[in-house]
Amino acid sequence: MTKIAIVEDNAVMRESFRQWINASPNFRCMFACATAEEAVAEIPRLKPDVVLMDVHLPGESGIVCTARLKEELPDVQVIMLTVYRNQELIFQALQAGASGYLLKRSSPTELLTAIAEVRSGGAPMTSEIARMVVEAFQKKPDNLASADGLTNRESEILALLSEGLSNKEIAGRVDISYDTVRAHLRHIYEKLHVRGRTEAVKKYFKSPGLNIAGKQ
């Protein structure tokens, strides 16, 4: 059973998310609130597996709330929810510790799939958000191959990992075996000095070559 908390200031939307989650036999909404202050006070005590976090909250933002929760609960997975397609906000949220980013108009199926995906180590994003991330990577003047000693293939695999693809999907995309993907990922983690896929993606987003200033 995956335990989920919701931080969403819109009461109607918050209740809709709760109902979608509780209608699934594998998920349970254990807490829902409207502000970052409530979230920081209660969520560390409840220790959910996944938090659905509104980006724009009254008072403290969802991005700041995410950073505070990750300090208390490093293993909690946070999926940001927003009505905005703002590239800068996306990267700020991911840098704060979020593992996924969805638009609020996502369907119940998309939301529940994203929760399952983040629990299995993925980085779920709607197709529109993923496209924005890919375009930002394509505009980078430098890639991690020069900055962190990654080979071209390792940089390619890391970029696909950042799109939220599973190891199996990456293998199919670049036409190599599943075991070869795993071997490449081990080398990537070693070179970037990270412990796993989430940290590797965060470091990729923080690469100095990625300039998101001023983009909407």
Side-chain angles (χ1 to χ4, degrees):
M1 178 68 67
T2 297
K3 299 178 295 183
I4 301 157
I6 302 169
V7 187
E8 165 61 60
D9 67 324
N10 184 300
V12 174
M13 193 161 288
R14 186 170 64 246
E15 184 58 28
S16 293
F17 293 155
R18 189 207 303 266
Q19 291 178 5
W20 296 352
I21 290 166
N22 288 336
S24 171
N26 299 320
F27 301 145
R28 179 169 67 88
C29 179
M30 62 187 308
F31 178 70
C33 67
T35 68
E37 289 73 20
E38 293 175 273
V40 172
E42 295 296 326
I43 289 178
R45 177 179 62 84
L46 296 170
K47 296 181 173 59
D49 302 303
V50 177
V51 176
L52 302 181
M53 177 72 68
D54 186 9
V55 171
H56 293 282
L57 295 170
E60 195 169 73
S61 75
I63 293 173
V64 174
C65 183
T66 295
R68 294 179 63 185
L69 288 177
K70 291 294 287 187
E71 289 180 0
E72 295 284 336
L73 301 171
D75 294 332
V76 72
Q77 302 298 310
V78 180
I79 299 175
M80 308 303 295
L81 298 171
T82 184
V83 296
Y84 300 101
R85 293 181 296 171
N86 183 301
Q87 192 179 85
E88 186 170 359
L89 284 179
I90 294 170
F91 285 97
Q92 287 177 0
L94 295 170
Q95 288 171 356
S99 299
Y101 201 105
L102 299 179
L103 295 176
K104 287 186 181 181
R105 65 170 180 265
S106 299
S107 68
T109 298
E110 289 172 327
L111 182 68
L112 297 177
T113 299
I115 294 171
E117 185 177 344
V118 81
R119 283 285 283 159
S120 65
M125 297 181 190
T126 58
S127 58
E128 292 174 77
I129 297 298
R131 181 68 180 178
M132 291 175 68
V133 173
V134 170
E135 289 174 352
F137 292 154
Q138 291 171 343
K139 292 174 184 176
K140 290 174 63 177
D142 302 300
N143 61 31
L144 287 181
S146 60
D148 294 272
L150 300 185
T151 66
N152 289 335
R153 176 50 61 89
E154 288 167 352
S155 280
E156 181 183 18
I157 288 174
L158 181 54
L160 293 173
L161 190 72
S162 301
E163 293 181 39
L165 272 63
S166 68
N167 290 3
K168 183 178 180 180
E169 290 169 328
I170 292 172
R173 183 76 67 88
V174 299
D175 196 25
I176 58 178
S177 72
Y178 178 87
D179 288 337
T180 300
V181 171
R182 293 183 61 188
H184 279 305
L185 288 176
R186 285 196 299 271
H187 295 153
I188 290 169
Y189 300 157
E190 291 172 1
K191 290 179 179 180
L192 298 184
H193 307 292
V194 298
R195 293 174 294 180
R197 59 198 301 134
T198 299
E199 290 185 10
V201 169
K202 289 179 187 176
K203 188 161 186 178
Y204 192 54
F205 289 148
K206 292 178 181 179
S207 172
L210 180 59
N211 180 10
I212 62 171
K215 293 185 174 65
Q216 300 296 324

